[in-house]
Amino acid sequence: MHIAVTGNIGAGKTTLTTMLSKHYNWEAQFEDVDHNPYLDDFYGDMSKWSFALQIYFLGSRFRQVKEIRESGKNVIQDRTIYEDAHIFAENLAEMNLLSERDFKNYLSVFQLMKDFVSAPDLLIYLRADVPTLVRQISKRGREYEAGISIDYLSKLNNKYQNWIESYKEGKLLVIDVDNLDFVEKQEDFGYILERIDAELNGLF
Ligand SMILES: Nc1ncnc2c1ncn2[C@@H]1O[C@H](COP(=O)(O)OP(=O)(O)O)[C@@H](O)[C@H]1O
Ligand SMILES: Nc1ncnc2c1ncn2[C@H]1C[C@H](O)[C@@H](COP(=O)(O)O)O1
């Protein structure tokens, strides 16, 4: 079984993926952030580094897709390949931070890869308003993320909303995390588990 957690920067994906992997004994797959060779430079100069970063994330996410397919285990994945293309790359192109020819070039590679990608059995979307995202990004305290603008987060949030509204590839669970503290409050984590269990029952 393949479960994926999706959502904007700082929504709580990595934290929830870690907690769910322990709770259900699923194998967790995380994003390549700490050893990412472009992320720091990207936030310093988005226009210069956007193409290199997108290709890096695409390759890294496709490697995960391959591993999930080959492992035969129950896996929970922190963010999907769809988000790289439909949210981040598309947004950078719209903001003119990724040139038209680079975006076209990127999309042609993504389209080829897409044929080998299966949608997760369950997609869990953590929806949060921008102030929540800002608070949680600052709580995490990665230096290179300190300059992320409200405008960038809002644009990504709009893209997430549109993408989720049109998502038909598989089962979808939307969790509004603005008023949930699943890190500190056991009852909030319990509420999320109840909602996931209800979806999992429908899968078997
Ligand atoms: N619902 C929540 N309530 C309180 N703190 C949260 C919540 N979700 C995430 N956090 C905190 O916010 C920070 C960012 O969360 P993280 O899981 O790294 O987000 P993401 O992986 O979506 O970018 C972490 O310090 C985490 O502990
Ligand atoms: N495809 C991407 N393009 C640009 N930036 C990306 C992409 N995928 C992830 N990121 C960034 C956003 C954050 O700064 C880090 C980690 O993501 P997070 O949502 O905090 O787990 O990578």
Side-chain angles (χ1 to χ4, degrees), residues 7-14 31-34 36 39 42-43 46 50 53-58 61 78-81 83-85 87-89 92 106 137 140 142 144-145 148 152 156 160:
N8 205 342
I9 308 168
K13 300 177 299 299
T14 304
E31 276 186 295
D32 197 348
V33 176
D34 292 340
N36 189 308
L39 206 46
F42 168 73
Y43 281 117
M46 287 187 167
S50 59
L53 179 72
Q54 290 316 312
I55 292 296
Y56 182 82
F57 267 123
L58 193 61
R61 217 83 70 177
D78 177 350
R79 186 165 274 141
T80 65
I81 197 166
E83 292 157 80
D84 294 310
I87 311 285
F88 285 94
L92 287 166
Y106 171 91
I137 290 169
R140 174 168 67 199
R142 283 185 199 135
Y144 53 76
E145 291 181 340
I148 293 180
Y152 184 64
L156 293 175
Y160 267 104

Side-chain angles (χ1 to χ4, degrees), residues 76-177:
I76 180 156
Q77 185 189 21
D78 177 350
R79 186 165 274 141
T80 65
I81 197 166
Y82 303 122
E83 292 157 80
D84 294 310
H86 299 312
I87 311 285
F88 285 94
E90 203 175 287
N91 180 56
L92 287 166
E94 284 173 15
M95 291 177 83
N96 290 319
L97 294 166
L98 182 64
S99 73
E100 202 178 321
R101 70 177 167 177
D102 283 348
F103 186 45
K104 273 192 185 154
N105 181 3
Y106 171 91
L107 279 184
S108 73
V109 179
F110 174 71
Q111 292 302 342
L112 282 176
M113 290 178 164
K114 229 174 117 179
D115 291 342
F116 294 91
V117 177
S118 314
D121 298 296
L122 175 63
L123 183 69
I124 303 170
Y125 172 47
L126 302 185
R127 203 215 63 80
D129 284 338
V130 171
T132 304
L133 300 172
V134 170
R135 195 176 60 244
Q136 294 185 172
I137 290 169
S138 134
K139 184 174 168 187
R140 174 168 67 199
R142 283 185 199 135
E143 223 170 275
Y144 53 76
E145 291 181 340
I148 293 180
S149 70
I150 304 272
D151 179 55
Y152 184 64
L153 290 173
S154 305
K155 287 188 161 102
L156 293 175
N157 245 11
N158 290 339
K159 290 233 156 270
Y160 267 104
Q161 191 178 327
N162 292 338
W163 175 60
I164 287 296
E165 278 171 7
S166 64
Y167 182 82
K168 302 274 180 290
E169 280 81 358
K171 256 184 181 291
L172 170 69
L173 172 61
V174 179
I175 298 179
D176 199 313
V177 291

Side-chain angles (χ1 to χ4, degrees), residues 190-202:
Y191 162 78
I192 292 179
L193 292 179
E194 269 176 33
R195 300 226 16 222
I196 292 174
D197 284 338
E199 296 296 333
L200 294 179
N201 282 337

